[in-house]
Amino acid sequence: MVNSSSPELRRRVVVLGTGGTIAGRAASSDDNIGYTAAQVGVADLLGGIEAPDGVTLEAEQVAQVDSKDMSFDVWQQLARRCVHWLAQADVAGVVITHGTDTIEETAFFLHSVLAPSKPVVLTCAMRPATALSPDGPQNVRDAIGVATTQGAQGVTVVCAGVVHGGVDIQKVHTYRLDAFASGDAGPVGYVEEGEVRLVRPWPQGQAVPAAKILEAAAVQWPRVEIVMSHAGASGAVIDALLLHGGAGPLRGLVLATTGNGTLHHALEAAALKARDAGVSVIRATRCSSGRILPKAGDPLRDAGALTPVKARIALMLELLG
Ligand code: ASP
């Protein structure tokens, strides 16, 4: 009988580091907020973590950023490294360590361009690595558990023992360790002592044609901005955006609407002017749950259940063709 840890049965999980609080350092172990993110290398984050039986962990530093500063270049590099590793037969899945601030955007981007048949599991922490009781190590261990779960697939995010779908997840709390929610969709499952308890199917999707993003040396990302509708709104921000300044011509506009896709009349008038000038305009609700239910005669299309930040990514990918 072959031992479960014999080389021929070993599987790899590749852990890609991008920075974030999970890799953050503070001057004191009491300090959970006054730290500098993205200081500790991903290999060191794996230091005290025991891999599941028969699994080898491999670390690769793709970036080292505070995720509030996440860039398209890092996304492109991350997508490429996922494609590279997932193509290796012995790689069970990829884990990505990431900051919490934009993890939902990176997860949605990877879901959109990869729709992988193996698991890509993002994870993070709300406390820095130097905290008295950091949450990062358990989150990484849980993410590895998800990546090695039989049948796991798609892009998920694991935090505080909860597995969220990359399409649904949203950061909903500024401080709590369990800082995420999946809105009406609810979580995909829970990680309990390394085992996944699935409550709905693994995420599936259809990747948008990603060749341009994965292969081009430098992608010309179309400029898409988000403008929020609110009491007392005007068309001034849209008018200013149309003048385009130094950031390149405006190609797309996401309107963060009130409620079920509604807009202040002054903002709507400016948005229709932008649309008539050739800008792609889409409405996404600023509500944290629910979707825009379309009505006959809506003058501007809607993004359904996508939040404004995700609608922006979807629109950018659409404009990239
Ligand atoms: N600013 C940090 C980041 O997103 C916050 C965190 O990771 O919790 O990288």
Side-chain angles (χ1 to χ4, degrees):
M1 189 169 141
V2 191
N3 183 297
S4 68
S5 58
S6 72
E8 56 272 42
L9 287 188
R10 288 197 78 81
R11 295 181 300 155
R12 284 187 293 164
V13 169
V14 182
V15 184
L16 305 178
T18 70
T21 294
I22 191 166
R25 270 205 193 103
S28 144
S29 63
D30 285 342
D31 192 350
N32 289 322
I33 56 170
Y35 57 86
T36 306
Q39 300 297 303
V40 183
V42 65
D44 290 337
L45 294 183
L46 296 181
I49 293 174
E50 214 172 292
D53 244 11
V55 172
T56 304
L57 300 178
E58 216 160 294
E60 181 178 288
Q61 196 79 48
V62 173
Q64 189 64 295
V65 293
D66 184 319
S67 85
K68 72 180 176 56
D69 301 322
M70 186 49 66
S71 70
F72 301 136
D73 288 347
V74 173
W75 279 357
Q76 185 189 27
Q77 183 63 5
L78 206 46
R80 282 183 178 152
R81 297 313 291 159
C82 287
V83 169
H84 167 82
W85 288 114
L86 294 174
Q88 325 268 322
D90 67 329
V91 170
V94 167
V95 167
I96 299 171
T97 58
H98 199 289
T100 60
D101 286 344
T102 57
I103 198 168
E104 67 207 62
E105 294 177 54
T106 302
F108 181 72
F109 170 76
L110 293 175
H111 168 88
S112 303
V113 301
L114 302 177
S117 56
K118 286 181 183 179
V120 170
V121 190
L122 291 95
T123 194
C124 53
M126 290 296 284
R127 291 180 182 158
T130 47
L132 189 59
S133 175
D135 51 330
Q138 185 64 53
N139 286 344
V140 172
R141 183 61 186 84
D142 287 349
I144 293 166
V146 173
T148 52
T149 295
Q150 198 66 36
Q153 68 165 72
V155 177
T156 52
V157 180
V158 172
C159 185
V162 186
V163 187
H164 301 272
V167 176
D168 310 303
I169 185 166
Q170 246 188 296
K171 188 170 180 182
V172 293
H173 205 280
T174 55
Y175 185 71
R176 266 198 330 241
L177 301 190
D178 188 3
F180 295 91
S182 284
D184 289 348
V188 170
Y190 302 92
V191 190
E192 294 159 345
E193 298 297 297
E195 296 292 317
V196 175
R197 175 164 61 88
L198 212 59
V199 294
R200 64 183 180 88
W202 292 103
Q204 286 179 347
Q206 179 95 49
V208 297
K212 265 192 198 161
I213 295 151
L214 300 175
E215 284 155 26
V219 177
Q220 285 302 317
W221 296 91
R223 183 175 174 212
V224 176
E225 303 283 355
I226 301 174
V227 176
M228 189 181 277
S229 190
H230 49 80
S234 76
V237 175
I238 295 180
D239 291 343
L241 286 171
L242 285 173
L243 294 176
H244 65 73
L250 185 69
R251 301 277 317 282
L253 190 59
V254 176
L255 301 170
T257 74
T258 37
N260 185 33
T262 48
L263 290 163
H264 189 289
H265 66 86
L267 189 68
E268 182 169 61
L272 290 171
K273 217 169 67 186
R275 185 199 59 186
D276 295 344
V279 176
S280 255
V281 183
I282 193 159
R283 293 173 300 135
T285 183
R286 64 179 217 188
C287 291
S288 61
S289 295
R291 66 196 325 273
I292 295 180
L293 296 156
K295 307 185 295 298
D298 281 333
L300 294 164
R301 64 185 173 135
D302 70 77
L306 294 182
T307 59
V309 289
K310 290 176 187 164
R312 175 171 179 267
I313 294 166
L315 186 51
M316 290 175 102
L317 293 173
E318 183 184 300
L319 289 168
L320 273 174

